[in-house]
Amino acid sequence: MKITQAIKEGKQPFKILSGENHNLKEPLVLVFGNRYLLEDDTLFNEVKELFPSGHIVMGSTAGEIIDDTVLQGGVSLTAIEFEKCHFSVKRKNVSEIDNELLLGQSLLNEFSKEGLKHIFLVSEGSSINGSALIEGFEGVRINNIGLSGGLCGDDDRFERTLASYNESAKEGEVIAIGFYGESLEITSANYGGWTPFGPQRIITKSKNNILYELDGQPALDLYKKYLGEKAKELPTSALLYPLSVRVNENDEPLVRTILTIDDASNTMTLAGDVPEGARVQLMMSTVDDIVDGASIAAQYAMNGRTNKPELAILISCVGRKLVMDQRTEEEVEEVISVIGTGAAVTGFYSYGEMAPFAGKDACRLHNQTMTLTLFSE
């Protein structure tokens, strides 16, 4: 595995941090960046000039992770040449298939299943129901095919998110990268570090990822009551107080972040499904809890690995970043202390993270977690 990494700040050209880009043959080029910079069509052309044979996947973020650094308002680039394995990239737009479950099924069906080890998703993040997208993949994938990834971000603006494959970034894109090869070892895991508080309430009215009522009362009214003065800062302030959602008594609770609110209909739209009958509870966290959670996520991802990782893609939630503030890089440093310094680290802060729970096969949509996908050939 040969890897080149670079960063771009503002209108400045890319600054190569490591590797020699001209030696890479048909690399996978991961470009994560600020939405305003990705809106500029010249960015794709600039990357294409650096890697003419590259397969360029772009995604907007709420912060870019590269090595042990978290950028804000920049662009990170990681180009990977696989020497023993290969990959395939597929894309769909929500305008082509407006049902996320069917979109996921359609994307997976485009991949050859022979030798397919893992699929990594870089998805539209501002309007898509991430759990329905995953359900589409889960419904038709073979058990030994791994699945992980993240929903693109837009800082804490929640205006629009962008992604693309081999073209300028645009809205509504879902990019799937399939990895193939006998020697390829890929593991993924996640963990949060958030603590529930306050009374449990039951979802009495919802539709997919739209929450209408808790305990028979308008959910948005109840949520605003808990937030107090912070309700004026919605939906941004919701990142600090996500919801713990337990669908069944014996299931692990999922964490759900609020993407948008609708005062007219008194509803909240979340990043994933919130089924009726599920129990919900508010959550909160501290800097130390988040750092500890990142460490646990890294330990889970390293469990059972045969080889040391050569590449680590980190997807963390924008809500964690808001809590961490000036100490954001601490959770990245904690991950590196666990996985070792031999892996090239890239990734971004997202509107949703995709990975299985520890010890489970099935992928789930998470919010407010640190998610790792580790690669070695």
Side-chain angles (χ1 to χ4, degrees), residues 19-35:
E20 297 181 10
N21 62 299
H22 60 273
N23 286 333
L24 300 186
K25 300 174 183 177
E26 297 192 18
L28 172 63
V29 185
L30 301 176
V31 180
F32 302 133
N34 178 271
R35 187 254 292 180

Side-chain angles (χ1 to χ4, degrees), residues 49-105:
E49 285 181 13
L50 287 172
F51 301 95
S53 65
H55 297 265
I56 302 168
V57 175
M58 306 175 75
S60 65
T61 78
E64 305 79 46
I65 299 169
I66 188 159
D67 194 20
D68 60 355
T69 301
V70 177
L71 304 178
Q72 184 62 46
V75 177
S76 72
L77 181 154
T78 300
I80 310 108
E81 177 190 330
F82 292 90
E83 299 175 278
K84 303 175 185 176
C85 308
H86 66 282
F87 62 90
S88 177
V89 185
K90 309 294 182 182
R91 57 150 297 278
K92 292 285 183 187
N93 195 283
V94 294
S95 64
E96 302 169 43
I97 305 176
D98 63 359
N99 179 302
E100 290 95 334
L101 187 148
L102 296 179
L103 191 153
Q105 291 177 346

Side-chain angles (χ1 to χ4, degrees), residues 61-294:
T61 78
E64 305 79 46
I65 299 169
I66 188 159
D67 194 20
D68 60 355
T69 301
V70 177
L71 304 178
Q72 184 62 46
V75 177
S76 72
L77 181 154
T78 300
I80 310 108
E81 177 190 330
F82 292 90
E83 299 175 278
K84 303 175 185 176
C85 308
H86 66 282
F87 62 90
S88 177
V89 185
K90 309 294 182 182
R91 57 150 297 278
K92 292 285 183 187
N93 195 283
V94 294
S95 64
E96 302 169 43
I97 305 176
D98 63 359
N99 179 302
E100 290 95 334
L101 187 148
L102 296 179
L103 191 153
Q105 291 177 346
S106 176
L107 264 177
L108 181 57
N109 285 333
E110 290 194 14
F111 286 97
S112 168
K113 304 304 185 296
E114 185 175 352
L116 180 59
K117 283 282 189 75
H118 193 93
I119 293 175
F120 188 85
L121 294 175
V122 177
S123 171
E124 147 75 30
S126 56
S127 61
I128 200 165
N129 181 342
S131 56
L133 176 67
I134 291 171
E135 186 180 348
F137 276 89
E138 288 291 333
V140 290
R141 80 179 177 102
I142 302 168
N143 284 338
N144 62 348
I145 299 173
L147 181 66
S148 63
L151 304 182
C152 292
D154 181 26
D155 289 332
D156 60 1
R157 291 182 292 265
F158 292 94
E159 293 172 355
R160 57 198 296 253
T161 60
L162 309 174
S164 66
Y165 170 52
N166 277 352
E167 63 178 330
S168 293
K170 58 186 180 181
E171 290 185 84
E173 289 287 286
V174 181
I175 316 298
I177 310 167
F179 296 92
Y180 298 79
E182 280 298 317
S183 64
L184 196 60
E185 183 179 13
I186 303 175
T187 55
S188 58
N190 77 290
Y191 197 81
W194 294 70
T195 304
F197 72 96
Q200 283 193 356
R201 296 187 181 275
I202 297 175
I203 298 175
T204 48
K205 184 179 180 183
S206 65
K207 182 179 180 181
N208 300 324
N209 61 331
I210 302 174
L211 179 57
Y212 291 88
E213 292 181 0
L214 294 171
D215 289 347
Q217 302 177 59
L220 183 54
D221 283 349
L222 272 175
Y223 194 77
K224 285 181 175 179
K225 180 180 177 181
Y226 277 111
L227 290 188
E229 283 296 311
K230 289 185 178 291
K232 298 175 183 176
E233 301 167 23
L234 283 169
T236 301
S237 57
L239 294 169
L240 301 174
Y241 300 97
L243 296 177
S244 169
V245 181
R246 190 184 293 273
V247 179
N248 297 305
E249 192 63 35
N250 296 325
D251 289 348
E252 292 277 359
L254 295 163
V255 183
R256 289 285 175 260
T257 289
I258 297 160
L259 294 180
T260 61
I261 63 169
D262 187 335
D263 286 303
S265 61
N266 226 354
T267 61
M268 304 185 290
T269 300
L270 293 96
D273 284 346
V274 280
E276 290 182 0
R279 295 181 179 274
V280 303
Q281 209 171 357
L282 281 171
M283 304 186 81
M284 63 186 299
S285 192
T286 67
V287 171
D288 290 341
D289 289 339
I290 285 176
V291 172
D292 289 344

Side-chain angles (χ1 to χ4, degrees), residues 327-348:
R327 296 174 60 185
T328 304
E329 291 177 348
E330 289 185 25
E331 70 164 345
V332 179
E333 293 166 354
E334 190 67 26
V335 166
I336 293 172
S337 74
V338 174
I339 68 173
T341 57
V345 175
T346 186
F348 62 94

Side-chain angles (χ1 to χ4, degrees), residues 7-16 46 50:
I7 60 172
K8 178 182 177 67
E9 296 179 283
K11 297 293 185 180
Q12 298 297 314
F14 275 99
K15 176 184 177 182
I16 303 296
E46 189 176 351
L50 287 172

